Amino acid sequence: AQKITQTQPGMFVQEKEAVTLDCTYDTSDPSYGLFWYKQPSSGEMIFLIYQGSYDQQNATEGRYSLNFQKARKSANLVISASQLGDSAMYFCAMREGYTGGFKTIFGAGTRLFVKA
Amino acid sequence: ETGVTQTPRHLVMGMTNKKSLKCEQHLGHNAMYWYKQSAKKPLELMFVYSLEERVENNSVPSRFSPECPNSSHLFLHLHTLQPEDSALYLCASSQGITGQSSVVYEQYFGPGTRLTVT
């Protein structure tokens, strides 16, 4: 069974608008962390935002926020005021605190296209 | 220099060549990782080192040989590769490794080495 599911292979958004990238996860571990990474065409993976399973509030980092709905096991990334430079692949990932050992499990990614 | 660096950024090699990928982290982290990213596939974890000791070998063929001489450097030695090994190889580091504690450490990635095997 897939542990991280990103159902949107590609998304388009108009510059300056907000966009939500979906991510659902599956784990029975009570302690886990959820991450979003951005991968531009240059290849590097850029860490964007982190949400711990015990965090009471949704994580925010600048224009990025994570809409964490624990009961639904979703961790959607919201990018506000999109910029042309936001065009990239976005990966949702999870590390399980007790049982996951050393592995970060990545989703298949969503390619975001920001239109001028 | 800060962060995680990788050299070379691009590499083209024949199937009979021997080459090495280098990763260096300047973050004071204790764990380092090699990932493989093939086209249209999720990232695949290859190796994990914690305090210079290999703690994970994810069923990787022996033509890939990792080396971690110290906590700041990680190498991936390549020999007799196949065309299907062409991919982006990403190195990452983290402060620690998630395990017995409930602390989850985020990973910081290098820019990757784009490898083409001809």
Side-chain angles (χ1 to χ4, degrees), chain B residues 12-17 81-83 86 116-118:
Chain B
V12 179
M13 59 186 288
M15 290 189 283
T16 58
N17 291 157
L81 295 191
Q82 304 298 312
S86 298
T116 303
V117 181
T118 60

Side-chain angles (χ1 to χ4, degrees), chain B:
Chain B
E1 197 166 5
T2 59
V4 182
T5 58
Q6 289 186 243
T7 54
R9 295 293 309 276
H10 300 272
L11 178 62
V12 179
M13 59 186 288
M15 290 189 283
T16 58
N17 291 157
K18 289 184 180 182
K19 296 286 185 183
S20 295
L21 309 185
K22 179 183 176 182
C23 175
E24 185 172 0
Q25 59 97 0
H26 309 270
L27 300 168
H29 289 167
N30 292 320
M32 297 186 77
Y33 311 76
W34 279 117
Y35 285 88
K36 175 184 178 183
Q37 186 179 25
S38 305
K40 301 179 182 178
K41 291 176 71 175
L43 264 71
E44 302 169 66
L45 179 66
M46 300 175 72
F47 301 104
V48 181
Y49 276 83
S50 175
L51 297 172
E52 300 123 62
E53 189 175 328
R54 191 191 308 183
V55 295
E56 181 86 4
N57 177 350
N58 220 21
S59 302
V60 179
S62 59
R63 58 185 183 271
F64 295 92
S65 175
E67 179 190 1
C68 188
N70 55 62
S71 59
S72 298
H73 293 86
L74 185 65
F75 294 90
L76 187 63
H77 304 298
L78 316 171
H79 64 98
T80 59
L81 295 191
Q82 304 298 312
E84 60 265 27
D85 296 323
S86 298
L88 181 69
Y89 289 84
L90 290 160
C91 173
S93 70
S94 63
Q95 186 178 347
I97 55 173
T98 302
Q100 296 303 312
S101 76
S102 61
V103 179
V104 180
Y105 296 103
E106 62 264 35
Q107 295 174 340
Y108 292 86
F109 284 80
T113 295
R114 188 160 296 283
L115 173 67
T116 303
V117 181
T118 60

Side-chain angles (χ1 to χ4, degrees), chain A residues 21-97:
Chain A
L21 307 184
D22 294 341
C23 174
T24 57
Y25 60 92
D26 182 29
T27 181
S28 57
D29 196 319
S31 175
Y32 53 90
L34 296 158
F35 307 85
W36 276 93
Y37 288 89
K38 172 185 178 181
Q39 187 179 40
S41 55
S42 52
E44 75 270 30
M45 296 280 277
I46 303 167
F47 166 70
L48 294 178
I49 196 167
Y50 165 77
Q51 179 86 43
S53 60
Y54 294 120
D55 293 344
Q56 296 295 315
Q57 295 190 339
N58 287 346
T60 60
E61 289 285 348
R63 294 187 298 112
Y64 304 108
S65 60
L66 202 151
N67 184 1
F68 181 45
Q69 298 187 40
K70 195 169 182 177
R72 298 178 60 184
K73 293 188 176 179
S74 75
N76 299 339
L77 176 71
V78 180
I79 306 175
S80 62
S82 298
Q83 302 172 356
L84 295 177
D86 294 335
S87 294
M89 280 290 286
Y90 288 82
F91 292 94
C92 179
M94 176 177 67
R95 298 189 81 181
E96 293 162 304

